[in-house]
Amino acid sequence: MGQSLENIQQQVDQLRQQIEEYNYQYYVLDAPTVPDAEYDRLFRKLQHIEENYPTLITEESPTQRVGAAPLKSFSQVTHNSPMLSLANAFEQTEVEAFDRRVREGLSVSEVDYAVEPKFDGLAVSLRYEKGILKTGSTRGDGYTGEDITLNLRTIKTIPLALSVGNVPDLLEVRGEVLMLRADFIRLNKHHLEKGEKIFANPRNAAAGSLRQLDSAVTAARNLVFFAYGIVANEDPCVPQDTHSAIIQYLSDLHFPVARECAVVRSCAGLLSYYREISAQREQLPYDIDGVVYKVNSLAQQARLGYVARAPRFALAHKFPAQETVTRLLDIHVQVGRTGALTPVARLEPVFVGGVTVTNATLHNIDEINRKDVRIGDTVIVRRAGDVIPEIVSVILAQRPENTKPFVMPRHCPVCGAKAIRATGEAVSRCTGGLFCPAQRKQAILHFASRRAMDIQGLGEKLVDQLVDNAIVRNPADLYQLGILALANLDRMAEKSAGNILAAIEKSKQTTLARFIYALGIRNVGEATAKDLAHHFGSLDSLMDTDMENLVNVPDVGPVVAQSILDFFAEKHNREVIERLRASGVSWKENVASSKSSAKDHAVSGKTFVLTGTLSDMSRDEAKEKIELRGGKVTGSVSKNTDYVVVGEDPGSKYQKAVNLGIVLLDEKQFKALL
């Protein structure tokens, strides 16, 4: 009996949610939790269902878009031409079908294809104006990416100026940034020696390096760039006949291109190239996860056109996942920097994908139950294009009688705090955020961050030293630091130590909203922290509240409320908070009492936009002052904007406000209104 449409819809919704989460982890966080092969399997499954039930296709489906939203840390760049991904093939029959569709679409008997390795890196777009590199951006969601120009300029293989050959006034080059294997090994060795985080694979290392806010870090990472295309350009300088001619043109302009690029004829040529590159894969200086086929004629490409998320004239032929069989000896639980409890399989050592594997991810308890993984089982392990192996399935025919089912612990294995699995989430999390050793560095960094307690100078390297040397165990210890403890650390002179201590002292005077946000309560961001501060007015009221009161706060639902209750239920969290208050951390205003007076303020109910630089306050401070008085700050000017506050060097928002007739306030007028 077939499934009902309602059941199929539920299956589609679940697949979409899972794929979007994997997209976010892969493209935004650069921290994939599943191998590419598993992602591809889910994506193809969703595609298959949508093909059979086209009425279920929506604009929000991951099959209708590319990648994920860009990070907020960088300004955004809108691509003139979308950076689309390619359709994937895994079997010879799929390549044959692609060639058949191309030939039928062009009404020809044979086709010439440009072929090249499929880099396993980060796609970027470089925009040159009159031969000078002006902007560089990531793919982002395919339509809007992140402006990483300063970081890309540090990559020595990217020309800053095109001084050879014929160059059009405007040239947009597409390509891939990656890290060579030798550089990846050196980087991880260096990090291990310093006790720093190591990267899972060269792709993650390249992506993490390219998204550094400090371009000096990127410069030290030895990234490389390979060009593989140009955005449609009708300038006579640019070849208009074939893709292979464009690759040669890019090479002539001194862009690096893959030496393995070639032109082949027909499907037989495609499959022969695939076998050739597959045999060379381990000897290449960089990671690849397949090969790419493109119709070589640009005129034929134009005739074939595009489908929703990919060109009809191109195909990525991916290498198969690498699998082997071994025995699962035990399952341990690791606690991540954010408190996530992840089950990890301890395996009988096995050689797969070029390395000896002893551990494999099990993702979460739902995956363990779905696959029916038990301690003592014989399992299939896959290592698909990265170095994080996973257990694909259990060989039930080889299951011994004494296998043991795995049960997720109810308490954190590191600190003993309660482990909670929130409704709708697949992951259990430790609730001991302020005192759990596994979360110390993350908790302290968040506590000191600019939008929290704003302790200037307390960055990742310093926090690493403080925690690794057992000087600081939780945020309260920061306020007990002395000049000698800091001055004895690496690269920390007495003057620098004094500056840190002054910043810590200054941070003692804060606001209730900032303090709540600084605690790092799960699901409590800046906006929610402000809402909680306004609603309760004091920290004690918040700490002693119940579910009924919490869900009455705007935008606080049961999930967020439960996170707050779980956090304050841990006595060690409360102890850290009391130590912070005893150290002098305090807030002057009672936000709740100011809330009622804010209703009558001139700013109340008004919408503001900030542009330019203010001399006496930061944008964050200005935003906070507006919100305390009942106003709202948005990022763009519209007819609904009441005021635009104009500082020095205002941007395009100023001109838009003038065009719309919005009231403009200089800094003096803004202060008067406040």
Side-chain angles (χ1 to χ4, degrees):
M1 183 182 293
Q3 297 184 67
S4 70
L5 192 60
E6 183 180 358
N7 288 339
I8 294 169
Q9 178 69 68
Q10 290 176 351
Q11 188 178 3
V12 166
D13 291 343
Q14 184 177 1
L15 280 169
R16 287 173 180 166
Q17 183 179 0
Q18 197 168 10
I19 290 169
E20 288 292 12
E21 178 64 20
Y22 292 159
N23 275 340
Y24 174 72
Q25 293 162 350
Y26 189 94
Y27 291 106
V28 178
L29 299 183
D30 298 322
T33 56
V34 293
D36 290 349
E38 175 65 4
Y39 176 92
D40 292 330
R41 184 186 69 81
L42 293 174
F43 197 97
R44 286 155 64 83
K45 183 177 180 180
L46 178 59
Q47 278 183 317
H48 179 71
I49 295 174
E50 289 183 345
E51 286 170 1
N52 289 312
Y53 299 91
T55 58
L56 299 183
I57 298 176
T58 66
E59 292 181 356
E60 296 78 28
S61 175
T63 64
Q64 306 302 304
R65 70 180 186 88
V66 185
L71 292 170
K72 301 298 184 183
S73 306
F74 298 94
S75 59
Q76 297 184 5
V77 175
T78 301
H79 301 308
N80 292 330
S81 176
M83 296 183 70
L84 301 178
S85 60
L86 302 177
N88 292 326
F90 296 86
E91 306 293 339
Q92 177 174 324
T93 53
E94 294 174 298
V95 178
E96 292 168 347
F98 163 72
D99 175 63
R100 183 176 62 254
R101 290 194 302 271
V102 168
R103 288 186 287 106
E104 290 173 352
L106 297 173
S107 299
V108 296
S109 58
E110 282 190 316
V111 176
D112 286 337
Y113 293 98
V115 291
E116 59 201 42
K118 184 178 181 298
F119 298 112
D120 195 12
L122 195 75
V124 299
S125 183
L126 308 175
R127 181 182 175 91
Y128 289 82
E129 297 177 12
K130 297 189 181 301
I132 305 297
L133 177 62
K134 291 296 183 181
T135 58
S137 58
T138 63
R139 181 169 69 178
D141 64 1
Y143 300 92
T144 302
E146 304 148 0
D147 186 340
I148 53 169
T149 309
L150 292 178
N151 290 349
L152 289 170
R153 286 175 63 87
T154 70
I155 299 175
K156 294 180 175 63
T157 54
I158 294 179
L160 298 180
L162 305 177
S163 56
V164 295
N166 296 319
V167 183
D169 288 342
L170 179 63
L171 181 68
E172 194 166 342
V173 177
R174 300 278 168 84
E176 199 98 355
V177 170
L178 43 91
M179 184 175 287
L180 301 182
R181 287 174 180 165
D183 292 323
F184 169 71
I185 293 169
R186 277 193 291 270
L187 176 65
N188 266 354
K189 182 181 178 182
H190 178 65
H191 277 217
L192 275 173
E193 290 171 351
K194 295 182 67 178
E196 296 179 349
K197 165 196 169 184
I198 63 170
F199 292 95
N201 52 51
R203 193 264 170 201
N204 280 9
S209 303
L210 202 53
R211 285 193 169 110
Q212 292 288 329
L213 296 178
D214 181 359
S215 59
V217 176
T218 307
R221 295 283 175 84
N222 288 334
L223 300 178
V224 296
F225 170 79
F226 285 92
Y228 54 60
I230 289 174
V231 172
N233 191 311
E234 296 181 0
D235 191 288
C237 297
V238 180
Q240 306 294 319
D241 51 353
T242 63
H243 178 76
S244 55
I246 285 178
I247 296 297
Q248 183 59 52
Y249 173 69
L250 287 167
S251 181
D252 293 341
L253 291 180
H254 290 183
F255 285 100
V257 297
R259 296 178 185 176
E260 296 77 19
C261 289
V263 177
V264 302
R265 191 166 185 80
S266 76
C267 184
L270 296 178
L271 297 173
S272 175
Y273 180 78
Y274 175 83
R275 290 189 291 269
E276 178 185 339
I277 296 299
S278 181
Q280 298 177 20
R281 182 182 183 187
E282 295 303 322
Q283 284 70 50
L284 294 175
Y286 43 73
D287 278 359
I288 61 174
D289 56 3
V291 295
V292 174
Y293 309 140
K294 299 175 183 174
V295 172
N296 195 31
S297 165
L298 300 183
Q300 289 181 338
Q301 287 187 10
R303 284 174 59 190
L304 290 167
Y306 297 80
V307 292
R309 68 184 296 272
R312 289 191 177 94
F313 54 80
L315 184 73
H317 189 177
K318 301 188 77 171
F319 294 132
Q322 296 167 292
E323 298 178 350
T324 192
V325 175
T326 188
R327 196 162 66 90
L328 195 161
L329 303 177
D330 201 355
I331 297 177
H332 294 178
V333 173
Q334 291 182 346
V335 184
R337 287 170 64 108
T338 61
L341 273 60
T342 303
V344 177
R346 306 301 187 196
L347 305 171
E348 198 169 81
V350 63
F351 194 75
V352 56
V355 297
T356 299
V357 171
T358 57
N359 299 325
T361 181
L362 288 164
H363 306 301
N364 54 60
I365 190 63
D366 289 346
E367 280 293 284
I368 292 175
N369 292 337
R370 185 179 68 80
K371 295 174 181 176
D372 191 18
V373 178
R374 302 182 189 179
I375 297 168
D377 271 332
T378 299
V379 295
I380 297 174
V381 179
R382 172 187 291 162
R383 183 174 174 267
D386 59 40
V387 297
I388 305 176
E390 71 157 347
I391 290 180
V392 180
S393 59
V394 175
I395 302 178
L396 294 175
Q398 298 183 30
R399 169 170 284 171
E401 294 181 1
N402 60 344
T403 57
K404 292 190 297 184
F406 174 74
V407 178
M408 280 293 289
R410 295 184 178 181
H411 292 85
C412 172
V414 175
C415 72
K418 194 174 180 182
I420 299 293
R421 180 180 176 182
T423 304
E425 290 195 4
V427 177
S428 295
R429 296 183 185 275
C430 168
T431 57
L434 290 184
F435 66 92
C436 178
Q439 301 175 68
R440 277 176 184 162
K441 293 180 181 179
Q442 184 69 27
I444 293 166
L445 281 170
H446 175 78
F447 183 85
S449 62
R450 184 167 62 90
R451 297 182 182 277
M453 298 301 284
D454 193 21
I455 304 177
Q456 296 183 14
L458 195 65
E460 189 169 351
K461 290 184 179 179
L462 179 54
V463 169
D464 284 346
Q465 289 192 72
L466 291 170
V467 173
D468 293 342
N469 289 294
I471 298 170
V472 171
R473 292 179 173 81
N474 59 62
D477 290 341
L478 294 172
Y479 296 92
Q480 308 301 319
L481 286 173
I483 192 78
L484 289 178
L486 283 172
N488 286 331
L489 297 175
D490 291 344
R491 299 181 182 179
M492 182 61 66
E494 192 169 320
K495 183 179 178 181
S496 300
N499 292 336
I500 294 292
L501 291 178
I504 292 173
E505 184 65 28
K506 181 182 177 183
S507 74
K508 288 182 179 180
Q509 299 302 316
T510 186
T511 66
L512 178 56
R514 277 179 173 269
F515 186 79
I516 294 170
Y517 176 61
L519 295 177
I521 303 170
R522 175 96 179 135
N523 297 315
V524 176
E526 267 190 284
T528 303
K530 289 175 182 176
D531 289 337
L532 291 169
H534 277 263
H535 185 85
F536 290 99
S538 73
L539 185 64
D540 290 329
S541 296
L542 173 61
M543 292 171 66
D544 298 331
T545 192
D546 56 21
M547 175 68 76
E548 185 178 354
N549 281 323
L550 281 169
V551 295
N552 286 327
V553 180
D555 298 324
V556 172
V559 173
V560 177
Q562 192 61 54
S563 296
I564 296 167
L565 294 174
D566 291 336
F567 181 87
F568 290 121
E570 285 295 336
K571 70 172 184 176
H572 295 297
N573 284 337
R574 287 177 172 258
E575 288 171 359
V576 174
I577 290 169
E578 288 311 309
R579 285 187 58 207
L580 286 165
R581 295 166 110 176
S583 299
V585 176
S586 60
W587 35 93
K588 294 180 181 179
E589 66 278 345
N590 185 318
V591 180
S593 63
S594 65
K595 181 183 175 185
S596 59
S597 61
K599 294 178 181 177
D600 302 322
H601 199 281
V603 169
S604 178
K606 303 298 183 183
T607 299
F608 289 74
V609 170
L610 307 173
T611 183
T613 303
L614 301 176
S615 59
D616 286 349
M617 67 183 87
S618 67
R619 285 201 189 186
D620 285 341
E621 289 170 334
K623 181 180 178 183
E624 197 167 291
K625 290 177 185 293
I626 290 168
E627 290 175 343
L628 282 172
R629 290 156 178 79
K632 181 174 72 171
V633 178
T634 62
S636 58
V637 178
S638 72
K639 61 182 181 180
N640 296 321
T641 304
D642 296 295
Y643 298 104
V644 172
V645 180
V646 182
E648 293 182 13
D649 299 322
S652 58
K653 297 173 186 176
Y654 168 77
Q655 190 56 52
K656 187 170 183 181
V658 172
N659 295 340
L660 291 175
I662 307 297
V663 177
L664 302 174
L665 300 176
D666 60 24
E667 188 166 357
K668 183 178 180 181
Q669 293 168 323
F670 175 53
K671 287 181 178 179
L673 185 65
L674 292 177

